[in-house]
Amino acid sequence: MLKLRVKSFPINLKNYSRLRHFILGNLNSDEHHHNATLFGGYVQKRFKKNQNLSSLFTPLPVKSNPDDINVGVELTGSLNKNDLLKILNKFYQRKEIKALSMESGLDTYVQHQAYIGFRKFCLESEALPTDLHVILSDILQGAGHVDDIFPYFLRHAKQMFPHLECMDDLKKISDLREPANWYPSARSMTRRIIFHAGPTNSGKTYHALQRFLNAKSGVYCGPLKLLATEVHKKANDYGTPCDLVTGEERKFAQGPDNPSNHVACTVEMTSVNNSYEVAVIDEIQMVRDNARGWAWTRALLGVMAEEIHVCGEEGAVELIKSIMTTTGEDVEVRKYKRLTKLEIEDSAVVSLDRVQPGDCIVCFSKNDVYSVSRGIEARGTEVAVIYGGLPPGTKLAQAQKFNDPESSCKVLVATDAIGMGLNLSIRRVIFYSLIKPLLNNKGEKEMDLIPVSQALQIAGRAGRYNTQFETGYVTTFKSEDLSTLKNILSQSPEEIVQAGLHPTAEQIELYAYHLPGSTLSNLMDIFVTLSTVDDSLYFMCNIEDFKFLAEMIQHVPLPLRARYVFCCAPINRKMPFVCSLFLKFARQYSKNQALTFDWLCRNIGWPIAPPKTILDLVHLEAVFDVLDLYLWLSYRFPDLFPDCNLVRDIQFELDSIIQQGVFQLTRLLRNSETRVSSGTGEDIQDEFNMRNVKQRYLRDDNDIYDGKDDGDIDDGKRGLGKGRLTERLLSQGLLTPNMLKELRQEWTQQGRSKMAQISETPQRDDRRGKRGRKPKH
């Protein structure tokens, strides 16, 4: 259910409209009736907290062996099915049996499911186990009591629900109270932990990197590919050979056969098997992230380094100290102050006419980025644009354009993507809004004020040491937000109290061994529900994205380890095109067929034309993500994803095409004006979804027609929206009820037009059949 937390801040009509749209957009009838939540066009089921644990376990079918000789019939004769049903019902209705089942670990849900399966087994099996057949025969003949059935019912229940036999083992596997013990190699070392704590522009990471650059060996663990790439370049320019390792890329300073002693990597790619003199773990406050926090926890506990330099907010100091207490390691804290002044202005900007050179307007929706950019450029001012969906090369190009003193571009419009990973010469940060959609630890979307730590990080981007803007300024666009911003920035970053954890592939494999009939999504649900964590230090990261992918490819036959790896892929599930290609990748892999360059080009429609509208640009961003996905998988399954070099080449070319599109953003907006001006960024993605759905309808006549092309175009007779494709698109979230309604209306109009054309067309030769075919003789 959508949860809205409203704190004391002024809401004008525009903010109210945004909030109202957000609420109405998330409260849909599917959620009300089916306990589902709509995420960017996809319906994702959520496990109710008060739901019975046993309901997570999938009952397995129990079948008799058809080859068995029916000894029971030979000994006692056949059983009367009607009489058998009566005694089975009497057995299940007895209070004593229900109490005995409870004592044996069968709660109400398992009892009911087990009884249904047991009754069906007894009534439909051609040959029952001999001992069960004899007992049932004795009871039918009055020589036994219905309670005598219980041992056989319990045996059947344990076959249907294997967890009844192994619940203790499952709980041991999901005992996560001591994650430090997962890394015995790191525990065998004497590690020195140095925490560099301070705000943005305080030089904390600079000092840690100096130690990294001058060490005999080292690893830098960063939150973003951009940061890892920057450190990789800086190290090699400094004269320290350094390799780059990200999920999608490998670069070797001295060749692939001669790995360097220094590595810059994204935090998920941190090796816990190689020894280093120095490790730098950047942005340690990300340990609290609901989705990725586990990666920082793993790096902190598992990296094998003599010195570990941790950089981040002061609010994480106490948590890191507490975690290191469990490993027997001390933490040395070095505090830093901001190197440049940061001043909060006494007035808001109010109008785009008052935007000045060096300003960065920070928005929290892509739609706001579009509208603000267009508004500024309409005033004759060139704008650079940065948001999270852009490729790294495009972000860097936009940043360089804004930073270049010789460039005519002096204003930046961006999302909070500028919070880390880019060096920007910003004089003033302007918060266009203070309300941001956030995901809580339950995966629920909330509209809330920007957290203090994020506000401080974004505001801190104003003013940079050794640049033309030594003093930074910060303000808001709306006057009513200014006092709230001052209050937020006067606070210290929130204390970070827990670090994230995540089930490993090995743990899930053990679960699968004990629960062979469960799906991967189901195994994750059971694991999280049974898991035990030390909640004074840790929390279980949100697994909704993982489960979403697991359910998407559940029907694809894959080994469990490969399925797990596929589900770890970094995918934005709000992008249908990316999700559909992910599914195709999994299907191709399951057939053991290589995903060649030619195959990929056919599926993404390469070569691609430059964008003419915002919809085109959104699609190109999705294609870029698909290429990223291919590269990510190529390093995990190199045999079946063989053409990573060619894919990287076209990705570089696509990056250039997207850059040109962003440079001409105003023209794209003008071409898409009717859609962009509708007021929501989601409209752009909905339009893209709609286009894809229309194409799929056009390609599948069986779903549109009833199978008889009799010339009748009436929607009701064609069965539009009633076929198997429709059901599949609806279940996958690629088609929403509103989109289906729009399609029906459009198709009805087209049908009437076609009928009019048919009625005006002269009839064909009467000697031919109704559809113009020659009559049979």
Side-chain angles (χ1 to χ4, degrees):
M1 187 175 74
L2 177 71
K3 180 181 176 185
L4 180 68
R5 291 190 297 187
V6 179
K7 299 184 180 179
S8 56
F9 59 92
I11 300 179
N12 60 19
L13 289 177
K14 195 169 184 181
N15 280 341
Y16 171 78
S17 175
R18 270 198 204 103
L19 287 171
R20 181 177 180 276
H21 173 80
F22 179 82
I23 295 169
L24 294 179
N26 282 275
L27 292 178
N28 52 74
S29 58
D30 288 333
E31 175 177 325
H32 180 72
H33 293 295
H34 302 295
N35 188 40
T37 305
L38 193 65
F39 285 101
Y42 292 100
V43 176
Q44 176 66 52
K45 296 177 182 177
R46 183 181 291 121
F47 174 64
K48 289 182 181 177
K49 227 179 174 185
N50 59 354
Q51 189 175 350
N52 193 307
L53 167 64
S54 295
S55 64
L56 291 174
F57 294 95
T58 306
L60 300 179
V62 180
K63 297 180 180 179
S64 59
N65 188 348
D67 297 330
D68 284 349
I69 300 173
N70 201 336
V71 178
V73 172
E74 294 182 5
L75 292 175
T76 63
S78 300
L79 303 176
N80 184 292
K81 299 296 183 181
N82 291 330
D83 293 340
L84 178 58
L85 178 60
K86 291 178 182 178
I87 68 165
L88 290 174
N89 287 338
K90 183 179 179 181
F91 163 80
Y92 182 61
Q93 291 166 4
R94 285 180 54 77
K95 294 181 180 178
E96 293 83 358
I97 293 299
K98 293 183 184 297
L100 199 57
S101 297
M102 282 287 191
E103 292 176 10
S104 301
L106 282 67
D107 60 19
T108 305
Y109 171 82
V110 172
Q111 283 183 42
H112 183 65
Q113 294 295 321
Y115 171 69
I116 293 173
F118 181 66
R119 182 180 63 189
K120 183 178 181 181
F121 178 77
C122 292
L123 295 175
E124 297 181 2
S125 295
E126 294 184 3
L128 291 174
T130 304
D131 53 355
L132 175 59
H133 186 103
V134 171
I135 285 294
L136 293 174
S137 178
D138 288 347
I139 296 171
L140 287 172
Q141 295 174 19
H145 193 275
V146 291
D147 291 357
D148 297 340
I149 298 175
F150 181 75
Y152 307 95
F153 167 71
L154 184 61
R155 179 178 69 188
H156 189 90
K158 290 180 177 179
Q159 290 176 297
M160 285 184 66
F161 293 95
H163 77 274
L164 295 172
E165 295 273 43
C166 61
M167 184 61 81
D168 289 341
D169 290 336
L170 296 178
K171 288 180 178 178
K172 287 177 183 177
I173 295 167
S174 55
D175 186 346
L176 310 181
R177 286 174 293 183
E178 297 181 351
N181 294 340
W182 302 349
Y183 309 102
S185 298
R187 297 292 74 77
S188 67
M189 298 180 65
T190 302
R191 305 188 310 171
R192 181 185 175 200
I193 317 293
I194 300 126
F195 195 127
H196 300 264
T200 307
N201 279 334
S202 62
K204 58 185 185 296
T205 307
Y206 169 81
H207 288 90
L209 286 177
Q210 287 301 113
R211 183 68 187 92
F212 166 82
L213 294 172
N214 292 289
K216 295 177 182 176
S217 62
V219 58
Y220 168 83
C221 316
L224 298 171
K225 187 193 305 184
L226 278 174
L227 277 171
T229 304
E230 181 185 340
V231 171
H232 161 75
K233 183 177 184 302
K234 183 180 293 185
N236 286 293
D237 290 347
Y238 185 80
T240 301
C242 180
D243 296 338
L244 174 69
V245 177
T246 71
E248 302 82 17
E249 190 172 13
R250 308 287 188 275
K251 285 186 178 179
F252 300 95
Q254 303 171 126
D257 297 327
N258 185 20
S260 304
N261 292 331
H262 288 71
V263 177
C265 64
T266 45
V267 66
E268 285 87 354
M269 301 304 296
T270 305
S271 170
V272 293
N273 299 314
N274 296 331
S275 296
Y276 305 98
E277 182 182 351
V278 170
V280 176
I281 305 176
D282 206 358
E283 304 292 353
I284 190 62
Q285 71 274 3
M286 292 285 287
V287 76
R288 68 174 164 209
D289 188 84
N290 284 329
R292 300 177 64 205
W294 62 270
W296 276 265
T297 305
R298 174 179 172 273
L300 181 65
L301 294 174
V303 70
M304 297 169 60
E306 297 170 21
E307 287 182 24
I308 301 177
H309 293 258
V310 177
C311 306
E313 295 175 5
E314 195 171 333
V317 169
E318 293 305 317
L319 173 63
I320 302 306
K321 281 184 175 180
S322 298
I323 291 176
M324 293 298 96
T325 299
T326 68
T327 66
E329 295 165 324
D330 295 326
V331 179
E332 175 188 338
V333 180
R334 298 178 185 174
K335 296 184 179 181
Y336 299 78
K337 292 184 178 180
R338 185 179 168 86
L339 298 173
T340 59
K341 289 179 63 177
L342 181 64
E343 297 181 5
I344 305 174
E345 295 187 339
D346 292 326
S347 60
V349 173
V350 180
S351 169
L352 294 179
D353 293 323
R354 298 176 60 186
V355 172
Q356 303 171 7
D359 281 351
C360 172
I361 302 179
V362 177
C363 308
F364 294 123
S365 78
K366 193 186 290 187
N367 189 62
D368 282 345
V369 170
Y370 292 151
S371 60
V372 171
S373 302
R374 186 173 185 185
I376 294 174
E377 292 205 338
R379 289 162 170 80
T381 302
E382 191 176 347
V383 172
V385 174
I386 294 174
Y387 53 85
L390 293 176
T394 303
K395 288 178 185 174
L396 286 172
Q398 292 290 300
Q400 290 166 3
K401 172 185 171 185
F402 173 71
N403 288 339
D404 185 359
E406 305 300 321
S407 171
S408 57
C409 174
K410 303 297 182 185
V411 176
L412 174 64
V413 180
T415 62
D416 53 349
I418 65 161
M420 62 178 73
L422 290 167
N423 291 320
L424 297 165
S425 298
I426 299 171
R427 175 185 170 273
R428 179 173 64 169
V429 166
I430 302 168
F431 284 88
Y432 190 68
S433 170
L434 297 178
I435 304 169
K436 179 183 177 181
L438 302 167
L439 286 180
N440 63 20
N441 54 10
K442 298 177 184 176
E444 298 168 335
K445 187 180 284 187
E446 301 175 347
M447 291 297 287
D448 205 350
L449 282 175
I450 180 174
V452 172
S453 60
Q454 287 189 28
L456 287 168
Q457 189 169 40
I458 294 170
R461 305 294 281 176
R464 189 169 184 85
Y465 188 65
N466 275 343
T467 68
Q468 57 181 323
F469 302 127
E470 287 264 344
T471 300
Y473 300 89
V474 60
T475 187
T476 60
F477 187 77
K478 307 176 187 72
S479 298
E480 59 268 29
D481 288 343
L482 187 55
S483 60
T484 305
L485 178 64
K486 289 181 177 180
N487 179 47
I488 292 174
L489 297 182
S490 67
Q491 302 175 43
S492 299
E494 305 93 342
E495 195 76 16
I496 300 172
V497 295
Q498 291 176 316
L501 296 174
H502 190 275
T504 65
E506 291 76 16
Q507 289 166 330
I508 296 303
E509 282 180 332
L510 285 172
Y511 256 55
Y513 171 78
H514 289 293
L515 304 171
S518 297
T519 66
L520 179 56
S521 175
N522 192 223
L523 290 172
M524 292 293 283
D525 260 338
I526 297 169
F527 186 96
V528 171
T529 306
L530 287 178
S531 63
T532 308
V533 300
D534 179 358
D535 56 11
S536 67
L537 294 175
Y538 302 104
F539 70 94
M540 183 64 72
C541 282
N542 192 296
I543 59 167
E544 290 305 312
D545 285 347
F546 185 99
K547 285 174 53 188
F548 175 83
L549 298 180
E551 289 169 6
M552 185 190 298
I553 62 171
Q554 180 51 44
H555 65 286
V556 180
L558 292 170
L560 181 65
R561 180 59 72 105
R563 189 182 301 278
Y564 182 95
V565 172
F566 265 88
C567 294
C568 288
I571 290 178
N572 181 354
R573 64 181 182 182
K574 294 181 181 178
M575 303 181 79
F577 182 76
V578 181
C579 292
S580 65
L581 265 294
F582 170 79
L583 183 56
K584 288 184 178 181
F585 284 1
R587 285 173 175 162
Q588 192 80 349
Y589 177 91
S590 72
K591 299 173 187 175
N592 201 33
Q593 295 177 357
L595 288 88
T596 62
F597 178 73
D598 290 340
W599 181 93
L600 181 64
C601 288
R602 287 196 304 272
N603 280 275
I604 63 173
W606 189 267
I608 289 176
K612 296 180 180 179
T613 66
I614 286 295
L615 275 175
D616 295 336
L617 184 61
V618 170
H619 177 61
L620 295 189
E621 292 168 9
V623 173
F624 190 93
D625 285 353
V626 168
L627 300 182
D628 251 357
L629 174 62
Y630 184 99
L631 294 173
W632 191 90
L633 291 167
S634 73
Y635 286 107
R636 288 141 183 93
F637 307 111
D639 292 343
L640 294 183
F641 292 81
D643 294 331
C644 57
N645 291 330
L646 290 171
V647 171
R648 187 166 285 109
D649 289 342
I650 66 170
Q651 190 181 44
F652 182 79
E653 185 179 337
L654 178 58
D655 197 336
S656 299
I657 296 173
I658 293 174
Q659 284 181 40
Q660 293 304 312
V662 175
F663 283 139
Q664 303 174 43
L665 191 62
T666 297
R667 182 174 61 82
L668 302 187
L669 288 165
R670 192 161 46 244
N671 293 343
S672 307
E673 185 172 9
T674 54
R675 297 308 296 167
V676 175
S677 63
S678 60
T680 65
E682 286 78 8
D683 291 332
I684 296 167
Q685 189 64 53
D686 286 346
E687 175 73 17
F688 177 61
N689 296 358
M690 192 67 176
R691 177 194 289 179
N692 282 346
V693 170
K694 286 179 183 177
Q695 290 173 351
R696 294 179 75 169
Y697 263 74
L698 289 168
R699 286 198 301 267
D700 197 327
D701 290 340
N702 292 330
D703 193 48
I704 297 173
Y705 294 89
D706 59 3
K708 300 176 182 178
D709 190 357
D710 55 7
D712 198 334
I713 312 297
D714 181 67
D715 178 39
K717 294 182 180 179
R718 293 173 87 174
L720 175 61
K722 296 180 181 178
R724 287 172 294 176
L725 175 60
T726 306
E727 294 175 2
R728 189 165 72 248
L729 293 174
L730 283 167
S731 67
Q732 293 175 356
L734 296 174
L735 179 64
T736 66
N738 287 337
M739 291 164 63
L740 180 58
K741 182 179 178 181
E742 186 178 333
L743 268 172
R744 282 174 173 156
Q745 291 172 348
E746 182 176 329
W747 209 275
T748 301
Q749 292 171 358
Q750 292 177 3
R752 288 169 181 164
S753 174
K754 187 173 181 180
M755 280 295 292
Q757 294 174 7
I758 292 173
S759 64
E760 294 172 4
T761 303
Q763 295 295 319
R764 295 193 175 204
D765 192 333
D766 290 340
R767 289 174 298 174
R768 292 179 178 266
K770 182 179 180 181
R771 298 183 59 190
R773 292 190 294 267
K774 290 183 180 180
K776 294 180 180 178
H777 296 288

